[in-house]
């Protein structure tokens, strides 16, 4: 196994326990020579490279687009030139932004609501990536599949996603107010809903899509338990052992009110999420707590 990564949002230490199972190449997916060396001799390519995190969509949209579009072209070109037979593109639920129906299946229309809103740099790059994967791969691959993740979470996931962001806000509020019910800020009024899938379940679904999915097919991988963000915040506080009250604020422009996948298509390949949200939060929040304790002790 070979991994190409620039460590922009990760840390090689998180892979230490499996270091003997792979070779890691440090570099940029926009570098054609480096990417060609990375895919040489591979039987499968899993394309996960992207700049994720809502804050990044607003603050560095050009880089988001460059990595998402130029990087995908470079990787597809290298895989085709190296005769790689199987290619998986990791897309996003952001490609349909505000779906017409919830739960949402893979036939939902792809939508870019406002090209002037920097938020859609990410969703736009994923729409382009899906088009490139399908059309570059029609005749070039034995199997080209697209996976649309829905709010994957787990240990060491970084701090630019809703679960670790909320956990950090709660712990900061607890540190500032040592007794009583803490007041923690909430982005928006908390009524927006999402469905969260634990990393182990997500990996199982993605592998099923690659090994058993149809050529030129799209698969949602996620869970079907839709939860309001305010309730998620309460569960996080409960998991952290903090009694908290949440203060609403203005939501960022472009936020989607509801999102939850229909996972019937991937279920037909034997996929079934095994980790409840409560159990997953207990597993995921340990690394967030450890980071908070290290950062505040420094």
């Amino acid at each position: 196994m070979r991994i190409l990564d620039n460590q922009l949002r990760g840390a090689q230490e998180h892979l230490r326990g499996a270091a003997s199972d792979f070779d890691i190449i440090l570099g940029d997916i926009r570098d054609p020579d480096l990417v060609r060396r990375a895919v040489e001799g591979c039987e499968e390519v899993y394309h996960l490279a992207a700049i994720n995190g809502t804050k990044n969509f607003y603050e560095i949209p050009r880089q988001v687009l460059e990595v998402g579009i130029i990087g995908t072209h470079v990787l597809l070109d290298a895989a085709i030139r190296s005769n790689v037979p199987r290619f998986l593109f990791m897309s996003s639920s952001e490609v349909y932004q505000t779906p017409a129906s919830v739960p949402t299946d893979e036939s939902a229309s792809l939508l870019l609501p406002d090209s002037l809103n920097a938020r859609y740099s990410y969703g736009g790059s994923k729409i382009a990536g899906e088009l490139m994967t399908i059309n570059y791969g029609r005749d070039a691959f034995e199997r080209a599949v697209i996976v649309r993740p829905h709010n994957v979470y787990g240990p060491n996931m970084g701090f630019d996603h809703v679960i670790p962001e909320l956990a950090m806000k709660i712990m900061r509020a607890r540190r500032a107010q040592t007794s009583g019910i803490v007041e923690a800020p909430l982005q928006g009024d908390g009524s927006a809903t999402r469905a969260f899938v634990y990393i182990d379940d997500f990996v199982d679904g993605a592998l099923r899509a690659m090994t058993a999915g149809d050529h030129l097919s799209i698969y949602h991988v996620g869970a079907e338990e839709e939860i309001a963000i305010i309730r998620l915040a309460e569960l996080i506080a409960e998991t952290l052992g903090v009694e908290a009250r949440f203060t609403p604020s203005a939501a960022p422009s472009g936020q989607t009110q509801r999102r939850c996948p229909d996972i019937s298509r991937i279920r037909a390949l034997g996929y079934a999420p095994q980790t409840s949200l409560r159990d997953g939060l207990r597993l995921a929040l340990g690394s967030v707590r450890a980071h908070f304790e290290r950062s505040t002790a420094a």
Side-chain angles (χ1 to χ4, degrees):
M1 183 185 298
R2 193 176 297 142
I3 297 172
L4 171 63
D5 192 13
N6 66 357
Q7 302 288 290
L8 176 66
R9 297 185 59 207
Q12 201 164 338
E13 65 188 62
H14 296 153
L15 303 173
R16 190 174 296 141
S20 61
D21 297 332
F22 59 84
D23 298 322
I24 187 162
I25 299 172
L26 296 177
D28 195 315
I29 193 174
R30 293 168 291 181
D31 181 337
D33 293 334
L34 184 69
V35 171
R36 197 169 297 119
R37 293 202 304 272
V39 303
E40 189 68 34
C42 291
E43 292 295 316
E44 299 178 336
V45 168
Y46 292 77
H47 175 21
L48 286 75
I51 299 179
N52 203 341
T54 304
K55 180 181 178 182
N56 291 324
F57 307 162
Y58 290 102
E59 294 185 356
I60 52 169
R62 175 177 171 175
Q63 291 93 316
V64 170
L65 285 162
E66 285 181 353
V67 169
I69 296 176
I70 297 173
T72 298
H73 165 74
V74 168
L75 184 55
L76 279 163
D77 183 66
I80 292 168
R81 288 174 183 269
S82 298
N83 297 311
V84 174
R86 293 178 293 279
F87 188 96
L88 183 147
F89 176 70
M90 200 65 70
S91 185
S92 170
S93 57
E94 293 275 343
V95 296
Y96 46 72
Q97 190 52 32
T98 302
S101 61
V102 180
T104 307
D105 68 24
E106 292 86 349
S107 67
S109 297
L110 309 190
L111 181 64
L112 186 68
D114 179 7
S115 59
L116 298 179
N117 187 330
R119 179 193 175 91
Y120 304 123
S121 56
Y122 182 73
S125 73
K126 290 299 186 181
I127 291 173
E130 289 198 12
L131 288 169
M132 285 190 282
T133 299
I134 294 296
N135 291 293
Y136 285 38
R138 287 186 186 277
D139 303 315
F141 299 122
E142 295 174 7
R143 180 177 292 134
V145 298
I146 292 167
V147 166
R148 291 181 186 154
H150 281 68
N151 293 94
V152 184
Y153 72 100
N156 300 315
M157 66 181 294
F159 303 95
D160 295 324
H161 300 277
V162 61
I163 288 174
E165 281 185 352
L166 284 169
M168 292 292 284
K169 288 176 181 178
I170 291 165
M171 288 186 289
R172 289 189 190 107
R174 174 80 289 170
R175 180 63 59 91
Q177 181 185 331
T178 57
S179 63
I181 300 173
V182 303
E183 299 281 347
L186 192 68
Q187 193 177 75
D189 64 5
S191 64
T193 65
R194 296 294 185 267
F196 295 86
V197 60
Y198 188 67
I199 181 63
D200 290 1
D201 293 323
F202 173 74
V203 169
D204 174 66
L207 291 174
R208 288 178 187 275
M210 179 63 114
T211 58
D214 293 329
H215 181 46
L216 306 181
S217 289
I218 301 167
Y219 296 91
H220 284 171
V221 178
E224 296 167 308
E225 180 187 355
E226 188 176 3
I227 184 171
I229 297 302
I230 182 63
R231 179 57 185 146
L232 173 69
E234 291 167 351
L235 283 176
I236 292 171
E238 180 184 319
T239 303
L240 294 170
V242 177
E243 192 174 3
R245 184 165 46 233
F246 296 93
T247 305
S249 64
S253 64
Q255 184 184 66
T256 299
Q257 186 63 20
R258 289 185 69 196
R259 193 175 286 154
C260 179
D262 180 332
I263 58 173
S264 302
R265 185 175 291 179
I266 194 69
R267 277 193 183 278
L269 302 182
Y271 171 75
Q274 301 296 310
T275 309
S276 70
L277 183 57
R278 282 183 178 274
D279 289 342
L281 288 175
R282 282 194 290 270
L283 293 166
L285 291 178
S287 61
V288 182
R289 189 198 298 271
H291 171 83
F292 177 77
E293 291 173 352
R294 286 194 304 270
S295 63
T296 53

